[in-house]
Amino acid sequence: MRVVLDTNILFSALISPHGAPDTIYRAWRAARFEVVTSLMQLDEIRRASRYPKLQAILQPTKVGAMINNLQRALVIEKLEIVIETTDPDDAFLVAMAQASSADYLVTGDRRAGLLQLGHIDRTRIVTPALFCAEVL
């Protein structure tokens, strides 16, 4: 099973060690499913982790370890963005799901409009809690 994790899920896993995002991240690290990422997402993680509001709550060593772990995932180097999203910064997530034929895209961002879509092609778009309930 292939899963795209929104960057907000990855950061949440680092911020709150007992929530659904952390459960998902640990399940991936235990090889329960395959995570799909991209060079674009890895760049976003590096860039966003330096924002002042995130620097106050994210430990650089944990962010670095996460990036190293993600480089062992299925990394898509070149993305073709075909579907525009309400939040243009999320279009690469949809492109990752399409390029990898992902089973799930997990996001916690209710404002961006991804959850309202429900699915893109064969990829279901779900909250972390729903993913945990259905898969883990």
Side-chain angles (χ1 to χ4, degrees):
M1 171 176 43
R2 289 186 174 166
V3 179
V4 172
L5 300 176
D6 193 338
T7 305
N8 65 54
I9 300 302
L10 295 168
F11 283 156
S12 293
L14 295 179
I15 294 166
S16 178
H18 301 292
D22 182 60
T23 300
I24 293 167
Y25 184 70
R26 284 186 285 112
W28 166 61
R29 298 279 296 133
R32 301 269 312 268
F33 55 86
E34 183 176 23
V35 163
V36 177
T37 190
S38 66
L39 294 179
M40 286 182 74
Q41 185 174 39
L42 294 171
D43 287 343
E44 179 182 60
I45 293 168
R46 286 183 190 98
R47 184 180 66 255
S49 68
R50 293 185 188 109
Y51 295 165
K53 69 178 185 177
L54 290 177
Q55 275 188 324
I57 54 177
L58 291 174
Q59 296 176 0
T61 55
K62 288 187 177 184
V63 174
M66 178 176 277
I67 290 170
N68 288 339
N69 288 333
L70 287 169
Q71 289 174 344
R72 291 188 286 272
L74 174 59
V75 180
I76 300 171
E77 293 189 15
K78 198 166 190 172
L79 289 174
E80 183 179 346
I81 297 179
V82 181
I83 296 177
E84 293 300 321
T85 56
T86 306
D87 181 348
D89 292 336
D90 287 339
F92 79 94
L93 295 168
V94 172
M96 286 169 31
Q98 290 179 308
S100 66
S101 297
D103 298 288
Y104 289 92
L105 191 165
V106 182
T107 183
D109 192 347
R110 297 181 186 280
R111 295 173 297 140
L114 289 178
L115 286 169
Q116 289 78 1
L117 291 174
H119 66 87
I120 297 283
D121 300 330
R122 70 181 304 267
T123 305
R124 289 192 54 214
I125 303 171
V126 298
T127 64
L130 185 58
F131 182 80
C132 287
E134 289 186 3
V135 177
L136 303 178

